[in-house]
Amino acid sequence: AQEFMLVDPIQAVYPGLCILLVVLSVNFIGDGIRDGLDPRKTTIPRRRLDQWRKQYLKSGI
């Protein structure tokens, strides 16, 4: 493969870009799965937060 690199270096760009795209895709998919399944998620849905506020304001706490 080194002989072809000296003659036509663009041949190394296409496989490199394919590897880059695969790695980025797997990384983003992994981040999405981690965010979706994280049990220690700190954000509370807005609707549930509003329900809790109404409940505690009525009870006087």
Side-chain angles (χ1 to χ4, degrees), residues 31-51:
D31 286 344
I33 290 172
R34 184 196 62 211
D35 290 343
L37 299 176
D38 189 10
R40 294 176 290 168
K41 194 180 232 182
T42 58
T43 58
I44 299 173
R46 185 81 175 152
R47 189 174 359 149
R48 187 180 299 170
L49 185 61
D50 290 338
Q51 290 173 353

Side-chain angles (χ1 to χ4, degrees):
Q2 291 177 353
E3 295 173 12
F4 294 113
M5 289 294 300
L6 295 175
V7 175
D8 192 14
I10 197 74
Q11 288 181 354
V13 172
Y14 297 120
L17 286 176
C18 289
I19 291 171
L20 176 72
L21 289 175
V22 168
V23 168
L24 285 176
S25 300
V26 169
N27 191 8
F28 287 136
I29 290 170
D31 286 344
I33 290 172
R34 184 196 62 211
D35 290 343
L37 299 176
D38 189 10
R40 294 176 290 168
K41 194 180 232 182
T42 58
T43 58
I44 299 173
R46 185 81 175 152
R47 189 174 359 149
R48 187 180 299 170
L49 185 61
D50 290 338
Q51 290 173 353
W52 286 347
R53 284 183 183 159
K54 288 179 186 177
Q55 179 183 358
Y56 288 126
L57 288 176
K58 288 180 182 178
S59 66
I61 295 177

